[in-house]
Amino acid sequence: MSPLNVVVGITGGIAAYKAVGVVRALVLAGHDVHVVPTEGALRFVGRPTLEAISRNPVHADLYEGVAEVRHVAIGQAADLIVIAPATANTIAKLATGLADDLLGNTVLASEAPLVIAPAMHTEMWRHPATQANIATLRSRGVTIVGPAVGQLTGADSGPGRMEEPDVIVAAALERAAASARHDLAGRRVVVTAGGTREPLDPVRFLGNRSSGKQGVAIAEAARARGAAVTLIAANLEVGEPAGCDVRRVSTALELQQAVTEAARGADVVVMAAAVADYRPAGVSESKIKKDAGDGGLTLELVRNPDILAGLGHAPHDGTLLVGFAAETESDDERLLDLGRAKREAKGADFLVVNRVGWTEGFAADENRVVVVGRSGDVVARAHGTKMSVADDILDVVVSELATAAAAADPTEEHESR
Ligand code: C5P
């Protein structure tokens, strides 16, 4: 990767001492690093340390260097902004767009990708205000790394610990690389995400535990790589990504209609949503009463259409279909075989297989997947944050699109060569 101009914002949390490791890793990787600490951060780490490690002068005061318009110059020059640690206070300021210090101004003046590593006590992280601010930032395309679960500053432990510097740096550079790549520019990508809900009555539904995180990460990553993205969002538990055309649906039939419409002329359709295989045969007009059954209650269900198979078996010339298979199978080989059979049955070009269970898969920030191709071969294995897994899946897609383009026009130079 060519050297980047990276701004590292450090805010006033105890984890600020670990931010020195972030700065050092970026410098050692050859990047030009400019540290912008808040006043609070400078109570934890001294400016001389930051200047020595970053090998650049460190500015924190909004009213210094006014002649060189420093409050916007730093942000305008940045290729990437990393804020580590990001305190609850800074997260709130970023979400509202406050610019009462040099870091706030730098962020607002920049179009560079923003990656933040939250660090705070568990209660502060879980507070609805913080969660709403995180959702806002996520919906604006900010990459959130962590927080990790573990020992906090006091005797307590839980989610809130800043991710380790190497994890933050890897995620930040990956994000910058995706923004710089733009290898999906001019492509139209449709992604389904979340889980469908099938109503039983006005207040109840049959649903599943899919949070939509992996699908949203794919939509975000495709957007960052230059695609025009339509996201068919089924009951997301995470914020909607920025810059995507979002169509909200709830049931499998609604999802079918939305995706069939959006898929026309699309280059890629990624079916990451967990779609209900069955729906209640009838929806009660009023709330089903406790005594509706005779001690128990039997629900009659009817099959939903298999949307992916419908797309896969209809002519879809030039549209690459990527399906998902979430399986509880514990044996790796058998899991893979299920994926192979499912890809074939649905007529998808690729099938992304992952294991799910009571504690695996759903709502987690990390994922481990295997991508099966048309020949049944494993074309990729990915493990990491759902964002990095998203990029690995899109790498497969991009290379397939390039191969198809090269086959269609062998005289053109194509990037995959
Ligand atoms: O058959 P299974 O539900 O495991 O298949 C998962 C894949 O098929 C996912 O890509 C999912 O979005 C899609 N699917 C579908 N319509 C259904 C069920 C699943 O398109 N009714």
Side-chain angles (χ1 to χ4, degrees):
M1 172 184 269
S2 48
L4 301 174
N5 177 321
V6 186
V7 169
V8 177
I10 306 181
T11 73
I14 293 150
Y17 77 93
K18 287 209 275 180
V20 176
V22 172
V23 176
R24 180 132 183 95
L26 286 166
V27 170
L28 290 181
H31 303 292
D32 185 18
V33 181
H34 299 268
V35 178
V36 181
T38 61
E39 263 183 39
L42 290 177
R43 291 177 176 239
F44 291 100
V45 202
R47 189 192 301 240
T49 306
L50 300 174
E51 292 196 332
I53 302 292
S54 71
R55 305 176 187 171
N56 270 317
V58 169
H59 307 287
D61 189 339
L62 192 52
Y63 302 102
E64 258 176 26
V66 175
E68 58 195 74
V69 206
R70 190 174 289 154
H71 72 292
V72 291
I74 300 174
Q76 282 172 339
D79 299 310
L80 168 69
I81 301 182
V82 186
I83 303 182
T87 57
N89 180 52
T90 292
I91 289 168
K93 283 166 56 171
L94 291 172
T96 356
L98 274 185
D100 60 351
D101 58 12
L102 188 59
L103 182 58
N105 280 270
T106 299
V107 170
L108 286 190
S110 178
E111 289 177 356
L114 175 60
V115 177
I116 69 166
M120 65 201 71
H121 274 79
T122 302
E123 294 81 354
M124 297 174 79
W125 170 249
R126 287 193 176 140
H127 194 284
T130 305
Q131 286 304 309
N133 291 330
I134 287 287
T136 301
L137 293 178
R138 218 187 276 280
S139 75
R140 266 187 225 144
V142 175
T143 298
I144 319 284
V145 187
V149 179
Q151 173 92 50
L152 302 171
T153 310
D156 47 348
S157 67
R161 220 179 122 86
M162 188 174 88
E163 261 300 0
E164 291 308 315
D166 56 331
V167 176
I168 298 169
V169 169
L173 293 179
E174 206 168 276
R175 173 67 203 276
S179 299
R181 271 202 298 266
H182 249 67
D183 49 10
L184 282 169
R187 301 291 191 178
R188 211 159 72 67
V189 176
V190 179
V191 183
T192 68
T196 59
R197 292 179 178 176
E198 306 298 329
L200 282 160
D201 68 19
V203 295
R204 304 187 182 95
F205 57 82
L206 296 177
N208 60 68
R209 290 175 50 218
S210 177
S211 62
K213 272 187 191 166
Q214 185 62 75
V216 166
I218 293 170
E220 271 183 344
R223 182 75 209 100
R225 291 166 76 151
V229 179
T230 303
L231 175 69
I232 317 282
N235 311 297
L236 297 184
E237 282 173 20
V238 289
E240 291 172 358
C244 299
D245 172 17
V246 181
R247 309 209 183 144
R248 288 187 206 133
V249 296
S250 190
T251 65
L253 292 180
E254 287 167 12
L255 191 141
Q256 180 185 34
Q257 192 182 350
V259 78
T260 310
E261 211 175 278
R264 270 184 220 118
D267 296 289
V268 186
V269 177
V270 182
M271 291 284 293
V275 182
D277 292 320
Y278 293 91
R279 67 179 182 277
V283 182
S284 170
E285 281 298 313
S286 54
K287 188 179 162 191
I288 300 169
K289 295 280 180 263
K290 220 184 243 86
D291 53 8
D294 199 9
L297 183 68
T298 305
L299 294 176
E300 193 192 339
L301 304 176
V302 292
R303 273 300 287 266
N304 271 329
D306 189 316
I307 303 163
L308 178 57
L311 292 173
H313 295 306
H316 56 278
D317 199 22
T319 306
L320 214 57
L321 293 179
V322 183
F324 271 68
E327 302 287 353
T328 50
E329 172 60 58
S330 59
D331 180 78
D332 282 352
E333 256 324 294
R334 280 205 295 270
L335 182 72
L336 207 50
D337 283 341
L338 286 173
R340 290 188 177 112
K342 196 162 281 186
R343 190 209 61 75
E344 178 102 47
K346 294 189 185 245
D349 297 284
F350 295 105
L351 205 91
V352 182
V353 189
N354 71 321
R355 187 175 285 128
V356 291
W358 295 110
T359 55
E360 270 179 296
F362 298 121
D365 290 319
E366 299 231 327
N367 209 358
R368 181 188 292 276
V369 306
V370 176
V371 185
V372 178
R374 282 189 215 102
S375 58
D377 291 350
V378 171
V379 292
R381 289 180 190 273
H383 174 217
T385 61
K386 286 188 171 171
M387 198 64 190
S388 88
V389 168
D391 267 318
D392 290 344
I393 295 169
L394 291 178
D395 285 345
V396 171
V397 164
V398 165
S399 121
E400 181 62 26
L401 289 173
T403 309
D409 185 357
T411 57
E412 285 273 314
E413 280 291 322
H414 290 284
E415 273 185 19
S416 69
R417 285 185 194 163

